[in-house]
Amino acid sequence: MPAAQLGRGRPRLTERYREFLPLTDSTPVLTLGEGFTPLVRLGRIGQDLGLANLYAKVEGQNPTGSFKDRGMVVAVSKALEAGARALICASTGNTSASAAAYGAAAGLEVVVVLPRGQIAAGKLLQAQVTGARVVAVEGNFDLALRVVRELAESASHPITLVNSVNPFRLEGQKTAAFEVCDDLGRAPEILAIPVGNAGNISAYWAGFRDYQAAGLSAGLPRMFGFQAAGAAPIVLGHRVEAPETIASAIRIGDPASWTKATAARDESDGLIEAVSDDEILAAWRDLARLEGIFCEPSSAASLAGIRRLSNEGRLERDATTVCVLTGSGLKDPTTAAASVGELLVAEPTAAAVTAILGW
Ligand SMILES: *Cc1c(COP(=O)(O)O)cnc(C)c1O
């Protein structure tokens, strides 16, 4: 009996979708419990927008709190197989948190290069606590990526670059598309997703196509990508030298997977548009207050875009629409703290609490 059938618990992600992944019998098994994230119906927001079939793919429920784990588990397994001794990445935060965790589990040295002062507090701590060596550089993500690409090429010892330019990352990230199809029983009609370095939109599109080609899902979605207005190179059609947005995970001016993302857009009859920070924050707040889903601000770019298109009358009301919520709200306590009111403080009596609540 195959090992996967011995226990009755959930399988490993890399077992569940093994036929679509570049794993061999000599690839070491590594897992932190990634994947199998919930597809949650957005009932209240859907009702507000008049969209009957609106869903969120809640990727913040991955081991390190973002979808990056799906790709990292494959990239780090392949690095081990190839005899790597160290991992290196540039990051807007979540790649480093994920690389640090999987590197720790695999017993590899991890080096991360970050744009100084631009990383959400939770993400930086994740990398540090799990033992990565963190180097902050003066400059933005695009510059940090240039630095690590050069280091990975010139290093004298075996070191693997685990940014999404590592093809194994995108292979692993395809699994999210498979899960969406498995949950819905077919592909959605629209897949809305934040776009930063543009790897994830490319991976989802590849995943939907693989699954359809294998006869495991019907239909293909239109891919709707959303960039932050201050960091929207694909929308503008040129690099952005100084990208600026509150959505730090998509604060990228020169996406590595630009060509793949525009191909996904065009092949799927989709679109890539920009949303403002105000629209992102409004969607982020509503996801928490109306649906109970605390995602990080960057993640809410997907819903912000869908809301805009809906308000402009550009969406079919009953189209099955999935918004990818890429990361957990706990990553960025600073933005969250700025959005909440003062704590109510009272004496420890029912009367005092009643008074302060105004009941
Ligand atoms: C990495 C990341 C993104 C952007 O994904 P790309 O593949 O770079 O386009 C969006 N949201 C969160 C939370 C991320 O960590």
Side-chain angles (χ1 to χ4, degrees):
M1 191 188 291
Q5 284 169 26
L6 286 175
R8 309 222 289 159
R10 80 178 193 188
R12 288 192 304 274
L13 182 71
T14 50
E15 277 309 318
R16 172 73 181 81
Y17 298 114
R18 190 175 180 90
E19 66 192 282
F20 298 101
L21 298 173
L23 305 173
T24 70
D25 290 342
S26 44
T27 313
V29 172
L30 179 66
T31 184
L32 292 175
E34 54 289 330
F36 301 101
T37 60
L39 188 70
V40 176
R41 183 185 281 272
L42 301 180
R44 298 182 70 198
I45 293 175
Q47 192 167 31
D48 276 357
L49 296 178
L51 299 177
N53 299 300
L54 183 63
Y55 295 88
K57 178 71 171 157
V58 187
E59 287 289 276
Q61 292 194 34
N62 275 291
T64 74
S66 86
F67 73 84
K68 299 295 199 294
D69 297 336
R70 294 178 183 277
M72 201 60 71
V73 68
V74 177
V76 176
S77 298
K78 294 303 282 186
L80 279 174
E81 182 180 354
R85 297 225 306 273
L87 308 175
I88 192 166
C89 66
S91 183
T92 61
N94 282 331
T95 294
S96 58
S98 188
Y102 284 87
L108 298 173
E109 180 186 359
V110 180
V111 172
V112 303
V113 178
L114 306 172
R116 185 169 176 210
Q118 295 189 36
I119 306 300
K123 302 176 188 182
L124 183 56
L125 286 170
Q126 284 181 289
Q128 291 178 302
V129 170
T130 46
R133 289 207 289 164
V134 178
V135 182
V137 295
E138 296 295 345
N140 59 29
F141 168 82
D142 304 288
L143 215 59
L145 181 58
R146 223 173 294 162
V147 170
V148 296
R149 287 177 104 148
E150 201 176 309
L151 282 171
E153 272 164 30
S154 62
S156 52
H157 59 305
I159 181 160
T160 301
L161 180 65
V162 291
N163 280 102
S164 58
V165 293
N166 178 324
F168 298 127
R169 280 273 311 277
L170 299 197
E171 291 296 315
Q173 286 172 213
K174 294 189 308 190
T175 57
F178 305 156
E179 289 176 13
V180 168
C181 294
D182 286 345
D183 281 347
L184 291 173
R186 52 164 293 132
E189 282 153 294
I190 294 168
L191 193 286
I193 187 167
V195 173
N197 220 15
N200 211 24
I201 188 173
S202 310
Y204 268 85
W205 180 237
F208 286 121
R209 296 214 306 185
D210 281 5
Y211 227 45
Q212 187 200 40
L216 292 169
S217 65
L220 286 171
R222 299 176 68 195
M223 302 297 292
F224 287 6
F226 296 100
Q227 299 198 291
I234 298 177
V235 180
L236 296 170
H238 59 77
R239 275 192 291 168
V240 173
E241 292 301 332
E244 196 37 70
T245 168
I246 190 148
S248 59
I250 53 174
R251 191 186 288 147
I252 293 176
D254 188 12
S257 297
W258 190 321
T259 313
K260 287 194 186 101
T262 51
R265 175 194 66 193
D266 298 341
E267 290 165 16
S268 74
D269 187 27
L271 54 81
I272 297 179
E273 296 191 0
V275 286
S276 71
D277 279 9
D278 284 348
E279 289 174 303
I280 290 171
L281 285 173
W284 171 77
R285 200 173 299 120
D286 286 351
L287 280 162
R289 299 207 182 158
L290 300 177
E291 303 287 356
I293 300 174
F294 182 26
C295 64
E296 65 170 282
S298 305
S299 303
S302 57
L303 177 64
I306 286 300
R307 181 137 73 181
R308 157 102 68 74
L309 296 177
S310 174
N311 291 340
E312 292 173 357
R314 295 164 64 197
L315 287 183
E316 288 193 30
R317 300 273 153 226
D318 53 5
T320 299
T321 300
V322 173
C323 294
V324 181
L325 303 182
T326 43
S328 162
L330 293 171
K331 299 260 186 188
D332 186 358
T334 315
T335 303
S339 82
V340 296
E342 288 289 307
L343 203 59
L344 302 175
V345 178
E347 295 298 318
T349 66
V353 173
T354 301
I356 204 157
L357 290 173
W359 277 2

